[in-house]
Amino acid sequence: MEAFIYDAVRSPRGRGKKDGALHEIPSIELATQILRAIPERTGIDTADIDDVIMGCVTPVGEQGMDIARVAALNAGYDEQVPGVQINRFCASGLEAVNMAAAKVVSGEARFAVAGGIESMSRIPMGSDGGAWAGDPGVAYRTWFVPQGISADLIATKFGFSREECDAYAVESQRRAKQAWDEGRFARSILPIRDVIGEVLLDRDEHMRPEATIQSLGALSPSFQVMGEQMPGFDAVALLRYPEVERINHVHHAGNSSGIVDGAAAVLVGGREIGQKYGLKPRARIRQAGSIGSEPTIMLTGPESVAQKLLDRAGMKPSDIDLWELNEAFASVVLRYMQALDLDHGKVNVNGGAIAMGHPLGATGAMVLGTALDELERTGKGTALINLCVGAGMGTGTIIERV
């Protein structure tokens, strides 16, 4: 049994602030509009969907109480369709797709809808608490530092300067603008509407295409104070990495992923159920998985899981036509390209989260859809989608265009 991707849809990303275009949309409504789009676009009967799996990194308040099941009911899905909310931090949306694929391959599901939701303007990141950062004993045993410190540690350990990180960010903005200007996202974007049906947002709102290396150079490092003066997280990182003399703080709001609202969904299914509806598979999921990595530097997991997936698929990096790695921080992508010896011309060719934002639970499904659209636009064959993950993990998926 093989798992195929039949459709992928996402919302535009709205600024994750009270003046953002999607702030007035409750999380459940944002998820509902995305889930409703799947049967509307494909013509499938929702009774043939055997599960809805949605990533949500902060499942509290209005995003709590298994938002996947409630959103499916709210979207008019058949009441026999179950739903489950999952959390693998930033990779939750891709992990949902991987779980859906596993259900299809095992025969547990005919169709499964996978994706994610995060309304960061309404439910702030970290609202759910947790022992990893909040329990001093756990933080001590796991060498906890905030992700921004990890990103700066990567830049320092692997030799990436502030100028290189800023240059990467400027290029992400340029590529995102070009992709929007050329309509590369048109197939996947679902305009989000308000209660009277008026379009609130039909374009990613976080982008700053006017950014230059000079304008980014004027921004102060975001994590220097917490590293050096507050609880002294630099000291923790340096104890774990004694070969590093001091941490060079290079990341700021302009070369880190943006806080945004957004949702996405991917329809995964077997060949036979697709034939029932006359649907042509857009891609098959060739390999998928996750891996743990050292939790202090935290964000180097993608290179390890990419190699794991390539090995399992019997492939080499040269067999991959497109690479999508979530742009959590500029140094994460720079290290990924360095470790795997990748040409930047094949990596994040339409920009990424530095330009367009990172709605935590949804991003994985979003970037998979971006890679799929780009394979079809260019006629290329394979893509490897990756995300770094909090607490030291990496999640990845290899897709092959059909």
Side-chain angles (χ1 to χ4, degrees), residues 127-152:
S127 297
D128 54 340
W132 177 37
D135 183 319
V138 174
Y140 174 79
R141 286 188 291 273
T142 58
W143 299 84
F144 169 78
V145 300
Q147 280 196 0
I149 302 296
S150 301
D152 286 340

Side-chain angles (χ1 to χ4, degrees), residues 178-197:
Q178 180 180 10
W180 269 106
D181 289 348
E182 295 180 0
R184 298 184 188 181
F185 302 132
R187 180 170 185 176
S188 298
I189 294 291
L190 178 76
I192 299 301
R193 300 177 182 274
D194 64 14
V195 292
I196 61 172

